[in-house]
Amino acid sequence: MNSASIGVFDSGYGGLTVLKELVKALPGYDFIYLGDNARTPYGTRSFEVVYEYTLEAVKYLFSQHCPLVIIACNTASAKALRNIQQLDLPKIAPDRRVLGVIRPSIEAVSAITKTGHVGILGTVGTVTSESYPIELEKWSGGRVVATVQEACPMWVPIVENNEIGTEGAEYFIQRHILNILAKDSQMDTLVLGCTHYPLLIDTIRKYVPPHIKIIEQGEITAGKLVDYLQRHPEIDNRLTKNSQLEFQTTESAANFESKAALFMDRKVEAVHVKI
Ligand code: DGL
């Protein structure tokens, strides 16, 4: 019998920061991670292209028998998730589900902020989509009164090219943190609104004052997924639970394995796939 895994998708390696927490929270479940490394980064691409690539990835994970797909990428969640949920799913797979990372973060931020002033760090795509300010206004129950954003276009390439901890990385991290701090002095919560950014956390922390809470999405997304599965037994019952973890990439498997080990803190075996 085929496994019915939870599919986890990102444009590259960033989603592994989410996968790691999902596996911790749901150790018995089966997962397939798909990184579209051949076409990363998505952050600077148009709405149409991100939507097209993300839909291809979701369809591919459905073809791998995943009843549930987590889009562990803010850019894809911002630009493609709503269309996929509302337009595509009813036609291609009405009994399957696709979830993103923005909604869980909105709920967490709304519960944490005291001043109601929130900062979002993300890719150019996520920031210009305005998804965070729009969703925070809609879903925070009035608890978030001001949202400032800062696009950090160099941060994903720093991670993808393993420049973490270099002088160049330090420069770009400091620059964008100082920019966002200057935008709102009452900000008390700062969202790492890109799944690559937790890899830069040590340097980010050096420039963020300690009274500002930094939100990483892995643990939050995992907690919300546990809750979702409890509320949706019709999906949960279809998921196989043999603790299997598969890694698939649209780029070279060898490249993926060496870099992914960094994210996962463990040895990774990957296969190359065409989607
Ligand atoms: N990790 C993705 C995100 O969360 C962005 C990476 C990219 O630009 O492809 O937004």
Side-chain angles (χ1 to χ4, degrees):
M1 209 193 94
N2 287 318
S3 294
S5 308
I6 300 174
V8 180
F9 167 67
D10 181 46
S11 60
Y13 300 108
L16 293 169
T17 61
V18 176
L19 177 73
K20 198 169 163 183
E21 298 301 326
L22 294 178
V23 173
K24 228 187 262 174
L26 297 163
Y29 288 65
D30 299 332
F31 292 91
I32 297 177
Y33 182 86
L34 173 65
D36 192 7
N37 300 80
R39 302 191 291 196
T40 197
Y42 281 15
T44 43
R45 295 188 191 276
S46 68
F47 176 93
E48 289 74 18
V49 169
V50 173
Y51 173 41
E52 181 192 325
Y53 287 1
T54 307
L55 183 57
E56 280 172 9
V58 167
K59 283 183 178 167
Y60 173 79
L61 286 166
F62 285 168
S63 78
Q64 300 297 297
H65 317 287
C66 298
L68 173 67
V69 172
I70 309 295
I71 298 184
C73 173
N74 289 265
T75 312
S77 297
K79 294 191 169 194
L81 182 60
R82 187 193 300 218
N83 271 4
I84 290 175
Q85 285 174 332
Q86 294 180 359
L87 304 178
D88 300 298
L89 265 193
K91 283 188 270 175
I92 60 173
D95 61 334
R96 306 203 192 187
R97 292 292 171 267
V98 181
L99 305 173
V101 284
I102 294 184
R103 194 62 187 274
S105 309
I106 298 290
E107 290 171 17
V109 167
S110 308
I112 287 167
T113 182
K114 296 213 162 46
T115 62
H117 290 243
V118 170
I120 309 292
L121 298 166
T123 64
V124 174
T126 299
V127 167
T128 53
S129 75
E130 293 280 329
S131 291
Y132 274 96
I134 293 168
E135 301 268 318
L136 280 166
E137 187 167 348
K138 218 162 148 188
W139 301 110
S140 78
R143 283 185 292 275
V144 174
V145 295
T147 307
V148 290
Q149 303 191 93
E150 173 76 6
C152 313
M154 294 305 289
W155 290 15
V156 168
I158 286 169
V159 172
E160 293 281 325
N161 294 292
N162 209 0
E163 291 287 329
I164 300 166
T166 62
E167 218 175 290
E170 183 102 15
Y171 169 81
F172 283 110
I173 292 168
Q174 178 182 26
R175 175 162 139 188
H176 291 299
I177 298 288
L178 295 184
N179 282 353
I180 197 161
L181 291 176
K183 288 177 186 174
D184 187 345
S185 59
Q186 294 181 66
M187 180 171 69
D188 71 348
T189 312
L190 183 60
V191 180
L192 302 188
C194 172
T195 52
H196 282 68
Y197 297 174
L199 269 285
L200 304 172
I201 189 70
D202 292 342
T203 313
I204 292 171
R205 279 222 176 88
K206 277 165 65 176
Y207 298 102
V208 176
H211 72 276
I212 296 180
K213 171 96 179 130
I214 301 172
I215 307 286
E216 297 181 52
Q217 297 176 310
E219 221 173 300
I220 289 165
T221 308
K224 297 288 176 193
L225 182 60
V226 170
D227 180 52
Y228 176 88
L229 292 175
Q230 277 163 2
R231 288 183 291 108
H232 293 275
E234 77 286 1
I235 298 291
D236 189 42
N237 290 339
R238 288 163 60 198
L239 296 167
T240 51
K241 294 156 185 110
N242 300 306
S243 304
Q244 285 177 21
L245 188 49
E246 282 178 51
F247 295 91
Q248 306 190 357
T249 173
T250 55
E251 245 295 339
S252 119
N255 280 354
F256 186 92
E257 286 170 355
S258 63
K259 287 204 190 129
L262 200 99
F263 281 73
M264 297 298 289
D265 291 327
R266 52 168 272 182
K267 196 170 176 299
V268 167
E269 276 176 34
V271 288
H272 167 77
V273 294
K274 280 198 167 49
I275 64 173

